[in-house]
Amino acid sequence: MKKILILFVVAALTWSCNSGNEKVVELLIPQPAKSIIKSGRFSYDSPVVWFSNNMNDTDKENLFELIKGVYPTAEITDNENASGAIRINMLPYSNNAKESYDLCVSRRAIDIDARHMAGAIYAVQTLAQLNYLNDGAIPCVIINDTPRFAYRGLHLDVSRHFYSVEFIKKQLDLLSFYKMNRLHWHLTDGAGWRIEIKKYPKLTTYAAWRPYNNWKEFWFGERLYCDQNDPKAKGGYYTQDDVREVVEYAQKLNITVIPEIEMPGHSDEVLAAYPNLSCSGKPYTSGEVCIGNEDTYKFLTDILSEVCELFPSEYIHIGGDEADHKAWSKCPKCQNTIRKNGLKNEHELQSYLIQKIETFLSTKGKKLIGWDEIIEGGLSPYATVMAWRGEAGGIKAAQMGHDAIMTPGNWLYFDAYQDNPATEPEAIGGYLPLSRVYSYEPVPDSLTIDEKARIIGVQANLWTEYISTEEHVEYMLYPRLLALAELGWCMAEAKDWDRFLPAANRHLDILEKKGVNAHQISNSVIATEVVDTTKQVIELSFRCDKMPVDIRYTNDGSEPTSKSTLYKSPISIKDSAIIKVAIFEEDERITDVQTFTPLYHKGIGKKVSYNIPHCSHYVAKGAATLTDGYNGGASYGDGSWQGFNKDVDVVVDMGEVTDINAIEVNFMQQAGPWIWFPEYVDIYMSDDAENWRKIKHIDNDVPRDTEGLLIQDFGFTGKERCRYIRYTAHQLPKEGAYMFIDEIKIK
Ligand code: ACM
Ligand code: ZN
């Protein structure tokens, strides 16, 4: 009996220790492919490092330097059996396991098996994370790890604002810590040229400098460049020595730096310095280089020759996005090139240039990557396509036989707001919280198995128009980059938000220790409503991304206290309710009270017909959108907002004559993407859909240039009865503008 008891106690202790270890391993980001949890810890502060003798000195040195980042007092040993040894064992090379590694932590030693430096580097990064996560005691565990995608990238725009070499190196450290392996360095764009080119010095003595404090002043001002020595000059560039330093630093972390040299559009800065390359021959007239001018080809290939020398990357990114055709269509040289080469139009003119550049790059042993526009006029199969305008470009590219990298704006543009735009620093627009990044699946179901294999990876893009400081760059990158890291590394079925979120919370402490200015996960309550039209109720659920927390709530209008109901599962709301929630730590309320007013309104499920159609891009859920019970959120692309590029003129049929006490219709305004409130609204009612009476006219008095994201109700309250409601909104006259409305709530 005693023996059984002892065995039981030992088993229980082992289990509790294993479960502690398991909790630590669950906090690794990205989560390893496979792990077996053991009991015990490796707790040496000054381990010794042993290398298998098939490794060269440079590799040993690099790895030892990385290990010293985890254990500053570590030393090298030739005693394989020393206690407290970290043993690096390089196995025979295998091309398809370059980044894989096995890590076996026991109480006395840590074994790292890899087939390439990349795998060994990642094993050490895993070790580094475990060390942070458990304060120096590494849990005993066996990890067999391998990535899902070969390409796991971050794009950083250094044209709109310039960031220092030290800062780039800090980001490389962080990328490698999260097992990301590509930095797509957006070195040139209309707002500034950032790489020294020996043959064309004006690119960096002139086109890298602006007489403004930041991009906004430049863009909304005269968009001028200035001489480097101008007292007002702001900007900068990387010398070729800087570039070599960054590239070499990245290589030691298993990161390939892919330079982007933008062409033929986004080249205003080039043409300011070398106006002979524009169609007009003058600066500041267009952002596109003249393709009909032989000097352009010489200029671009001269630059690429220097770039190819500097970057060992197999790939060179040549941009290719958003070129305007206006200047080419009026340029005799461009038109002559179209005629001479039997090209159909300006799309093919762009392709003509890209294909020549691709051929040139191939003579340097390089392959071309471009934004998804590059497939529009035909392309060689060796070119890789970066899909940014949604996923369509990546899907099409894979179907055409190209490799593709997914960077769709709606999930992976880190310049969008990550939290409530009202309380965040100004951003370019959109709404991309951590949870949305995490929800992205890079391989579309619609592809065949072969096509799926051509999706070689994912990348997030950080455009920096509104990001003038290095602190702000970090604020936009972290913690969203942690979600990106899992998209790139973990198999789709291994992704788990409920595991990831506590881990991301924990990593914010690590990021703080590393001196990173990360966005702090908000402790506000996020409410989700599910409309159940069968039961005619709204299921209201709450979550908070900040962890750990208790959400408590009331439904009688009172302020929640530590005695109020603890939220555990969704709440059913029959007609309407006032729910007040707050976050508690122990007995203390630590946040403001938030109030939610879910409403199962009278219009839910009622038929909407359109006298004027909504636009074809922002369809949301079609005719069901405006009466589906779901309210548009902070992003006009969230599938609830419906876009109109003409007037709104819709009729809701209530099915029978109904008492109407209020109609509430929200509009969005966001000046950046030309989304404006209506000029005015008229609301009509009728019992037969023929004889209408106007019951309300509303003029808009919000100025068009108001900054930020605005949501406003253009509705009505009163006492009416009718069967049909006709809601009309007059668009402010402006080509290319939109109105966005959501949910016609009828009370
Ligand atoms: C892009 O966002 N223009 C690639
Ligand atoms: Zn031209």
Side-chain angles (χ1 to χ4, degrees):
M1 184 65 201
K2 223 175 202 173
K3 248 189 201 155
I4 292 173
L5 192 66
I6 289 169
L7 273 178
F8 178 76
V9 169
V10 169
L13 278 175
T14 310
W15 180 83
S16 71
C17 190
N18 282 4
S19 110
N21 281 357
E22 183 174 354
K23 287 210 166 71
V24 178
V25 172
E26 278 180 357
L27 297 174
L28 287 169
I29 294 177
Q31 188 58 198
K34 222 191 275 169
S35 50
I36 302 166
I37 312 293
K38 302 282 181 184
S39 63
R41 310 275 164 82
F42 174 93
S43 303
Y44 292 82
D45 293 337
S46 295
V48 286
V49 182
W50 177 89
F51 294 103
S52 63
N53 55 19
N54 57 350
M55 293 179 68
N56 67 42
D57 285 347
T58 318
D59 285 353
K60 284 183 194 169
E61 245 166 65
N62 290 347
L63 223 45
F64 186 58
E65 211 173 302
L66 207 58
I67 292 171
K68 296 263 274 190
V70 189
Y71 295 108
T73 55
E75 287 180 16
I76 293 182
T77 181
D78 51 13
N79 175 9
E80 196 179 347
N81 296 314
S83 67
I86 298 176
R87 295 185 286 240
I88 318 277
N89 192 22
M90 204 53 80
L91 304 176
Y93 181 74
S94 156
N95 199 28
N96 53 16
K98 250 188 90 177
E99 297 183 302
S100 312
Y101 67 92
D102 298 324
L103 173 71
C104 176
V105 182
S106 65
R107 290 170 209 252
R108 277 194 77 228
I110 293 175
D111 285 292
I112 289 172
D113 288 358
R115 295 178 180 278
H116 189 272
M117 270 295 280
I121 288 167
Y122 287 151
V124 175
Q125 297 293 19
T126 298
L127 206 54
Q129 285 202 10
L130 289 171
N131 188 57
Y132 269 111
L133 290 167
N134 211 32
D135 296 323
I138 313 287
C140 292
V141 62
I142 298 171
I143 289 175
N144 312 113
D145 207 2
T146 194
R148 176 180 184 191
F149 292 110
Y151 187 112
R152 305 178 301 280
L154 173 72
H155 155 286
L156 179 63
D157 166 14
V158 295
S159 169
R160 273 49 178 253
H161 290 101
F162 177 75
Y163 314 107
S164 67
V165 168
E166 279 318 301
F167 179 75
I168 302 293
K169 285 162 77 176
K170 181 181 175 193
Q171 302 317 304
L172 290 169
D173 285 333
L174 289 158
L175 288 177
S176 182
F177 189 64
Y178 290 109
K179 301 189 175 74
M180 307 263 304
N181 64 3
R182 298 286 189 282
L183 174 68
H184 168 175
W185 207 4
H186 189 79
L187 286 163
T188 78
D189 207 305
W193 185 277
R194 305 293 178 207
I195 175 172
E196 178 187 23
I197 301 294
K198 303 274 190 202
K199 224 174 190 162
Y200 298 96
K202 273 192 87 178
L203 290 172
T204 43
T205 58
Y206 186 72
W209 305 93
R210 307 181 306 228
Y212 310 94
N213 290 312
N214 53 42
W215 177 87
K216 265 180 91 174
E217 285 182 14
F218 161 79
W219 191 252
F220 297 108
E222 289 179 280
R223 304 189 190 179
L224 300 176
Y225 297 88
C226 65
D227 195 82
Q228 178 170 14
N229 300 317
D230 189 311
K232 287 218 199 84
K234 295 238 161 42
Y237 64 91
Y238 304 102
T239 65
Q240 296 203 347
D241 280 342
D242 289 339
V243 169
R244 277 186 280 266
E245 184 181 334
V246 166
V247 164
E248 194 181 316
Y249 193 85
Q251 271 177 331
K252 290 184 186 173
L253 295 164
N254 189 44
I255 297 170
T256 304
V257 182
I258 299 177
E260 178 177 351
I261 305 296
E262 264 274 14
M263 63 186 78
H266 283 276
S267 299
D268 316 61
E269 88 290 22
V270 169
L271 304 175
Y274 296 96
N276 58 306
L277 302 178
S278 74
C279 288
S280 65
K282 297 193 191 84
Y284 303 117
T285 50
S286 83
E288 287 70 35
V289 291
C290 176
I291 299 178
N293 182 347
E294 267 306 307
D295 292 348
T296 297
Y297 180 73
K298 177 166 178 357
F299 173 84
L300 292 174
T301 51
D302 282 347
I303 286 169
L304 289 173
S305 295
E306 292 191 33
V307 167
C308 289
E309 279 297 308
L310 285 167
F311 291 89
S313 166
E314 179 186 16
Y315 286 101
I316 305 291
H317 200 302
I318 54 76
D321 59 319
E322 298 183 307
D324 194 297
H325 295 174
K326 236 187 281 137
W328 299 337
S329 69
K330 286 186 280 186
C331 168
K333 288 184 292 232
C334 284
Q335 292 305 312
N336 191 34
T337 302
I338 289 181
R339 259 192 314 279
K340 240 176 35 201
N341 295 284
L343 308 174
K344 278 204 209 75
N345 51 30
E346 284 75 18
H347 279 298
E348 292 199 358
L349 180 67
Q350 159 147 345
S351 264
Y352 165 81
L353 175 75
I354 302 290
Q355 288 178 28
K356 275 176 63 165
I357 294 292
E358 192 194 4
T359 306
F360 172 79
L361 285 175
S362 70
T363 67
K364 302 277 175 191
K366 303 286 192 190
K367 293 181 184 165
L368 176 149
I369 299 184
W371 299 110
D372 57 42
E373 285 92 334
I374 65 167
I375 42 177
E376 282 168 3
L379 198 62
S380 103
Y382 302 109
T384 295
V385 174
M386 205 168 253
W388 71 280
R389 298 174 298 177
E391 293 183 301
I395 292 172
K396 189 167 162 207
Q399 288 167 341
M400 288 164 66
H402 299 284
D403 282 348
I405 297 155
M406 289 299 196
T407 74
N410 278 342
W411 284 280
L412 297 175
Y413 266 42
F414 284 4
D415 51 346
Y417 287 102
Q418 54 197 317
D419 213 325
N420 183 356
T423 53
E424 285 296 295
E426 185 180 13
I428 200 158
Y431 179 59
L432 183 63
L434 183 65
S435 54
R436 183 164 172 84
V437 178
Y438 198 76
S439 74
Y440 181 57
E441 165 48 42
V443 180
D445 266 345
S446 60
L447 297 180
T448 65
I449 290 173
D450 286 348
E451 289 161 359
K452 283 179 177 169
R454 292 187 198 119
I455 308 295
I456 59 168
V458 275
Q459 173 173 292
N461 299 336
L462 189 65
W463 303 99
T464 58
E465 283 89 342
Y466 289 82
I467 305 174
S468 62
T469 67
E470 295 176 346
E471 292 73 28
H472 195 178
V473 171
E474 291 187 343
Y475 184 86
M476 300 307 272
L477 290 182
Y478 308 96
R480 289 186 287 195
L481 187 126
L482 280 53
L484 173 69
E486 293 224 339
L487 300 189
W489 190 271
C490 302
M491 298 304 284
E493 59 278 9
K495 264 175 45 189
D496 176 359
W497 172 252
D498 292 333
R499 180 201 55 73
F500 172 78
L501 184 60
N505 271 272
R506 182 71 177 81
H507 276 252
L508 283 176
D509 301 337
I510 299 178
L511 289 169
E512 191 180 342
K513 282 198 184 126
K514 286 177 173 287
V516 175
N517 179 45
H519 168 81
Q520 293 304 303
I521 293 177
S522 160
N523 61 7
S524 63
V525 172
I526 299 157
T528 308
E529 295 185 6
V530 175
V531 180
D532 185 331
T533 49
T534 313
K535 292 191 200 144
Q536 302 212 335
V537 295
I538 289 185
E539 298 282 349
L540 180 67
S541 55
F542 294 127
R543 67 163 224 267
C544 178
D545 286 350
K546 181 88 185 163
M547 298 184 129
V549 290
D550 289 340
I551 301 174
R552 292 183 184 275
Y553 70 95
T554 65
N555 57 8
D556 60 2
S558 65
E559 300 277 291
T561 68
S562 61
K563 304 278 181 305
S564 301
T565 313
L566 181 66
Y567 173 77
K568 289 209 179 100
S569 56
I571 310 163
S572 276
I573 310 292
K574 190 79 194 151
D575 296 313
S576 66
I578 299 173
I579 310 277
K580 295 196 173 213
V581 299
I583 301 292
F584 289 79
E585 243 174 40
E586 310 288 333
D587 281 346
E588 194 189 349
R589 173 157 75 80
I590 59 160
T591 61
D592 288 343
V593 174
Q594 289 173 259
T595 303
F596 296 95
T597 53
L599 168 72
Y600 196 97
H601 69 81
K602 289 179 181 172
I604 288 181
K606 297 295 187 284
K607 184 169 179 289
V608 176
S609 42
Y610 293 73
N611 292 330
I612 300 173
H614 53 72
C615 78
S616 56
H617 277 91
Y618 297 97
V619 174
K621 296 167 211 123
T625 307
L626 300 177
T627 52
D628 65 355
Y630 291 97
N631 302 313
S635 164
Y636 57 82
D638 67 5
S640 279
W641 289 100
Q642 195 164 62
F644 291 79
N645 48 8
K646 302 195 194 75
D647 285 358
V648 175
D649 189 345
V650 297
V651 175
V652 184
D653 179 358
M654 298 300 289
E656 61 188 341
V657 174
T658 307
D659 287 326
I660 309 286
N661 300 315
I663 297 171
E664 203 178 297
V665 181
N666 278 339
F667 282 73
M668 177 182 276
Q669 176 157 312
Q670 204 174 355
W674 288 8
I675 298 167
W676 282 291
F677 290 153
E679 190 173 15
Y680 59 83
V681 160
D682 286 313
I683 306 173
Y684 305 84
M685 290 187 177
S686 167
D687 291 340
D688 56 8
E690 278 174 18
N691 301 297
W692 294 96
R693 58 186 196 280
K694 190 194 282 193
I695 53 131
K696 182 87 177 175
H697 173 89
I698 309 159
D699 284 316
N700 170 33
D701 51 14
V702 179
R704 233 191 227 192
D705 55 2
T706 309
E707 277 190 4
L709 171 77
L710 310 177
I711 293 176
Q712 186 170 308
D713 167 31
F714 288 77
F716 143 90
T717 48
K719 282 226 166 305
E720 296 286 341
R721 270 174 75 73
C722 72
R723 171 168 173 181
Y724 298 96
I725 298 163
R726 180 171 167 214
Y727 189 90
T728 68
H730 183 64
Q731 167 104 296
L732 267 163
K734 168 116 184 155
E735 182 74 23
Y738 281 97
M739 288 190 288
F740 274 85
I741 74 174
D742 186 40
E743 202 59 11
I744 301 185
K745 284 192 216 167
I746 298 165
K747 303 184 188 173

